[in-house]
């Protein structure tokens, strides 16, 4: 065995994943589309297009692997600050994705849910969301949560408002508010918390993504830009996750 063979063997052995111990929920911050495009002298919209292709590939792979929940950060409440041309390109891409999700993901059994505030989204996008959510509601394979117009702080404010309204309406009393009540009023209600949260492109922050839900998520950072993220990279993240000792504050 050559040195290279040994290194390859070691690497693949370390990246081997235990199919019986998969994270139930993986969340991904799909970052670096702009840098990917810049490196190639392309417009930022080309980076997002390439990122959408990576999303198709990773969704299909995760579903086949047996991952039950996948949440991806597609557009944050702060992303409206980007140049109008880029916002339009992202919305167009999302619209195309929602129109063609079956062909793109290649799996009839994926359930799609959109999380985030509806405020600011066009009627056209809202209609497409309704169609896709209803059409996939009964599917019982992987659930793909697309965080669209999503911000963790906005989500918490929204949850507080909903709870306050329930109190005003006499449906709830203040002493009944606990972590479960807050969770139940988030956009992710009914969705398990992420076990593994991945951020690519070398950045190491949460950027307002699933802040309540990721309190005990295992974090994995990768330097690769999202359009270049491969199924091997996902395997590496899962393999590392499987080596971790999750204590949730216990011993
Ligand atoms: C961050 O990269 C990425 C986004 C703000 C958009 C993510 C969108 C996609 C991957 C494609 C569309 C999604 C769907 C569901 C079709 P960036 O633009 O901030 O990159 P940079 O940090 O290199 O500039």
């Amino acid at each position: 065995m050559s040195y290279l063979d040994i290194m390859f063997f070691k690497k693949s052995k370390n990246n081997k994943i235990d199919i019986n111990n998969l994270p139930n929920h993986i969340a991904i911050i799909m970052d670096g589309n702009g840098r990917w495009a810049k490196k190639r002298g392309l417009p930022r919209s080309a980076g997002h297009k390439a990122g959408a292709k990576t999303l198709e590939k990773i969704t299909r792979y995760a579903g086949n692997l047996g991952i039950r929940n996948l949440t991806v950060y597609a557009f944050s409440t702060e992303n409206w600050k980007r140049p109008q041309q880029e916002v339009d390109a992202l919305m167009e891409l999302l619209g195309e994705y929602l129109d063609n999700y079956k062909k793109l993901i290649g799996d009839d059994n994926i359930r799609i849910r959109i999380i985030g505030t509806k405020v600011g989204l066009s009627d056209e996008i809202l209609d497409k969301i309704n169609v896709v959510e209803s059409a996939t509601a009964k599917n019982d394979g992987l659930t793909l949560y697309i965080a669209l117009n999503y911000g963790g702080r906005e989500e918490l404010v929204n949850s507080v408002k909903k709870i306050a309204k329930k109190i005003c309406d006499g449906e709830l009393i203040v002493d009944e508010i606990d972590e479960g009540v807050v969770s139940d009023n988030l956009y992710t209600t009914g969705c398990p918390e992420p076990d593994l949260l991945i951020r690519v492109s070398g950045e190491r922050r949460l950027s307002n993504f699933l802040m309540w839900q990721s309190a005990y998520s295992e974090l994995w950072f990768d330097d690769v830009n999202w359009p270049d993220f491969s199924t091997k990279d996902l395997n590496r993240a899962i393999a590392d996750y499987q080596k971790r000792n999750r204590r949730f504050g216990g011993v």
Side-chain angles (χ1 to χ4, degrees):
M1 233 186 215
S2 73
Y3 172 75
L4 272 180
D5 284 339
I6 292 167
M7 287 315 285
F8 179 73
F9 175 73
K10 268 192 171 170
K11 209 173 160 212
S12 50
K13 205 172 144 205
N14 286 343
N15 290 345
K16 216 169 157 204
I17 57 177
D18 175 0
I19 218 73
N20 297 311
N21 181 27
L22 291 171
N24 181 31
H25 183 177
I26 298 180
I28 307 183
I29 302 181
M30 309 183 287
D31 200 5
N33 295 344
R35 277 163 283 170
W36 181 92
K38 194 173 176 194
K39 262 191 196 164
R40 289 160 179 80
L42 297 169
R44 293 177 61 81
S45 56
H48 296 315
K49 215 169 185 172
K53 285 248 162 295
T54 301
L55 175 60
E56 288 160 36
K57 180 181 70 188
I58 293 297
T59 307
R60 209 172 302 144
Y61 180 74
N64 289 335
L65 204 58
I67 303 292
R68 303 294 305 155
N69 303 279
L70 177 66
T71 303
V72 293
Y73 209 3
F75 191 88
S76 77
T77 42
E78 288 72 36
N79 286 154
W80 296 107
K81 292 183 213 151
R82 295 189 175 207
Q84 192 58 42
Q85 206 185 7
E86 183 174 349
V87 170
D88 290 345
L90 271 168
M91 288 298 155
E92 200 181 316
L93 200 55
L94 281 157
E96 276 172 27
Y97 188 87
L98 294 172
D99 282 341
N100 300 307
Y101 75 93
K102 248 188 201 169
K103 200 172 88 205
L104 298 176
I105 302 172
D107 182 344
D108 282 347
N109 205 22
I110 287 182
R111 186 167 74 116
I112 297 183
R113 307 267 318 144
I114 310 295
I115 56 168
T117 170
K118 307 268 184 277
V119 179
L121 293 177
S122 69
D123 289 345
E124 199 190 342
I125 288 281
L126 291 174
D127 286 347
K128 289 180 202 282
I129 290 175
N130 282 337
V131 169
V132 171
E133 286 191 334
S134 318
T136 64
K138 293 208 170 76
N139 293 347
D140 62 1
L142 174 136
T143 299
L144 172 66
Y145 293 88
I146 302 178
L148 171 62
N149 201 14
Y150 174 89
R153 289 181 178 174
E154 192 282 330
E155 181 182 39
L156 271 174
V157 169
N158 190 264
S159 172
V160 170
K161 282 187 186 163
K162 284 204 258 178
I163 293 167
K165 186 162 186 315
K166 283 178 190 166
I167 292 172
C168 290
D169 293 348
E171 288 171 34
L172 194 71
I173 58 168
V174 171
D175 283 345
E176 283 171 339
I177 300 173
D178 58 13
E179 292 183 11
V181 170
V182 175
S183 290
D184 286 348
N185 285 282
L186 298 173
Y187 299 125
T188 50
T189 178
C191 169
E193 291 176 358
D195 300 294
L196 172 63
L197 192 152
I198 298 173
R199 181 167 193 156
V200 295
S201 88
E203 310 288 0
R204 279 152 174 77
R205 55 178 175 271
L206 283 184
S207 297
N208 209 7
F209 186 47
L210 302 178
M211 291 192 313
W212 172 278
Q213 300 87 337
S214 63
Y216 281 100
S217 301
E218 295 297 326
L219 307 179
W220 170 263
F221 298 106
D222 203 317
D223 287 338
V224 71
N225 287 323
W226 175 248
D228 288 330
F229 190 75
S230 67
T231 53
K232 276 193 190 133
D233 294 323
L234 183 62
N235 279 352
R236 272 195 303 122
I238 296 174
D240 190 81
Y241 162 85
Q242 290 180 332
K243 288 184 208 129
R244 306 212 188 158
N245 177 16
R246 301 187 76 193
R247 293 189 296 280
F248 298 93
V251 283

